[in-house]
Amino acid sequence: MATALSTSQSANKPVYNILYIIGICHLLNDTLQSVVPAMFPILEASMGLTFTQLGFIAFALNMISSVMQPVVGWYSDKRPMPYALPIGLTSSLLGILGIALAPSFWTIILSVIFIGFGSAVFHPEGSRVAYMAAGNRRGLAQSIYQVGGNSGQALAPVITALVLVPLGQFGAIWFTLVAALAVYFLINIARWYAHRLATISKQQMKNKKVKMQLDPSYSRAIKIALFVLVFLVFARSWYGSAISNFYTFYVMDAYGVSIARAQWYLFTFLLMGAVGTFAGGPLADYFGKRNVILLSMLLASPLAIALPFVGPYVAFAVLALLGVILMSSFSVTVVYAQELLPGKIGTMSGLIVGLAFGMGAIGSVALGSIIDSLGLTFTMIAVAFLPLIGILTWLLPTDKKLIEWQK
């Protein structure tokens, strides 16, 4: 009896060392992904690629990841795969090596497919590790995990300014060391993951599944909520894609700055986005997930609309606020989806995070084509209205309702 109580109490406490390590691995994984958009200005200059071709590179990277993530999550819900984590990062390592040596557009596409596959494997399994180590602080745990990824993405402009501008395309080869470090960490995470699985009661898992299957009365409401959540992720991802992939070109055109200086605008947005990602989870633990999602989208709207019209100095402040506010809902949408369908942790993590990548991929191609056809300024003004879609958050069930559905 005492042993059971001790196990129950420890299960409610976050395993912080695991959360920090998986967060660092997320940072390393997304740093590898960040090398790809960081190379866009280099590739445009050296290979003469069009905005549409750059969009297709982002499409290949993100679409492979987005399509595979829910599949990996669905499969790992049935058969968890601890050692898939280091295997996935090994694929990314090969992709980084390929992109450093790629002589043509199509070899770049092939290389980013390897990186996309590695990311597809890492994200749902990494999110599952965060969930297993969360205890009773799921919002905080998911924020620790996701802030690593957003921090890695924030490094893209720094990579461009400090590595790729002076060293060119071949400079990407240094990031194979980053991939190797991630593989090492993930081997150790995989051991903990496998041990944790061995200590979980199979009977408890079966009982949880039976409970869910015996309570189908909310299935229609859950499907509607999931559809609304997907639409919100769509709006946030398209806007984020516009900033991440094309805003540096807008800055160079509108403010007449160099490639290296333009990266600091993007770095401001992405770095403060990482701050917002970390803050969002704890705020959601205290004030509710739906409230954080709603305020994140609506408060970001006036800033997004103002951004194309402000000057070069005010733009830094607007981007900083925009990053914090908009990205505060990133980890929260993942936790919301997990609690919407608590028996499908991997599937929901893969769906929401994978969808973010997928919508960003489609957005990259679409936005690149629109820029080629209608111009950069028009496109940046038009996408600024996307966060207004956040008004649909009112259609989501409240946190209290989610708790009722789980009973």
Side-chain angles (χ1 to χ4, degrees), residues 19 34 37 78 160 210 221 231 287 339 348 366:
L19 290 174
S34 296
K78 299 178 179 295
T160 301
V210 170
F231 205 62
F287 299 108
E339 295 190 0
M348 290 299 100

Coordinates of all heavy atoms in Angstrom, one line a residue, residues 19 34 37 78 160 210 221 231 287 339 348 366:
L19 N 12.8 16.4 -18.6 CA 12.2 17.5 -19.4 C 13.2 18.4 -19.9 O 13.1 18.9 -21.1 CB 11.2 18.3 -18.5 CG 9.9 17.5 -18.1 CD1 9.1 18.3 -17.1 CD2 9.1 17.2 -19.3
S34 N 16.4 24.6 -38.8 CA 16.6 26.0 -39.1 C 17.7 26.3 -40.1 O 17.7 27.4 -40.7 CB 16.9 26.7 -37.8 OG 15.8 26.6 -36.9
P37 N 15.9 27.1 -43.8 CA 15.4 28.5 -44.2 C 16.6 29.5 -44.0 O 16.6 30.5 -44.7 CB 14.3 28.8 -43.2 CG 14.5 27.8 -42.1 CD 15.1 26.6 -42.7
K78 N 0.2 2.7 -30.3 CA 0.0 1.3 -30.2 C 1.2 0.6 -29.7 O 1.2 -0.3 -28.9 CB -0.5 0.8 -31.5 CG -1.8 1.3 -32.0 CD -2.2 0.8 -33.4 CE -3.5 1.4 -33.8 NZ -4.7 1.0 -33.0
T160 N 22.5 32.2 -40.2 CA 22.8 32.9 -41.5 C 23.9 34.0 -41.3 O 24.8 34.1 -42.1 CB 21.5 33.6 -42.0 OG1 20.5 32.6 -42.2 CG2 21.7 34.3 -43.3
V210 N -10.7 1.3 -22.2 CA -12.1 0.8 -22.0 C -13.0 2.0 -21.6 O -14.1 2.2 -22.2 CB -12.2 -0.3 -21.0 CG1 -13.7 -0.6 -20.7 CG2 -11.5 -1.6 -21.5
A221 N -19.0 16.4 -30.6 CA -18.5 17.7 -30.0 C -16.9 17.7 -30.1 O -16.3 18.7 -30.3 CB -19.0 17.9 -28.6
F231 N -8.0 24.5 -37.5 CA -8.2 25.8 -38.2 C -7.3 26.9 -37.6 O -6.7 27.7 -38.3 CB -9.6 26.2 -38.4 CG -9.9 27.0 -39.5 CD1 -9.7 26.5 -40.8 CD2 -10.4 28.3 -39.4 CE1 -10.0 27.3 -41.9 CE2 -10.7 29.1 -40.5 CZ -10.5 28.6 -41.8
F287 N -4.7 29.8 -15.8 CA -5.8 30.6 -16.3 C -6.7 29.9 -17.4 O -7.7 30.4 -17.8 CB -5.3 31.9 -17.0 CG -4.6 32.8 -16.0 CD1 -3.2 32.9 -16.0 CD2 -5.3 33.4 -15.0 CE1 -2.5 33.7 -15.1 CE2 -4.6 34.2 -14.1 CZ -3.2 34.4 -14.1
E339 N -5.6 16.6 -24.2 CA -6.6 16.4 -23.2 C -8.0 16.2 -23.9 O -8.9 15.7 -23.2 CB -6.6 17.6 -22.2 CG -5.3 17.6 -21.4 CD -5.4 18.6 -20.3 OE1 -6.4 19.3 -20.1 OE2 -4.4 18.7 -19.5
M348 N -2.2 12.9 -31.3 CA -2.6 14.3 -31.1 C -1.3 15.2 -31.2 O -1.4 16.3 -31.8 CB -3.3 14.6 -29.8 CG -4.7 14.0 -29.7 SD -5.8 14.7 -31.0 CE -5.7 13.4 -32.2
A366 N 2.6 28.6 -51.4 CA 1.5 29.5 -51.8 C 2.0 31.0 -51.7 O 1.8 31.8 -52.6 CB 0.3 29.3 -50.9

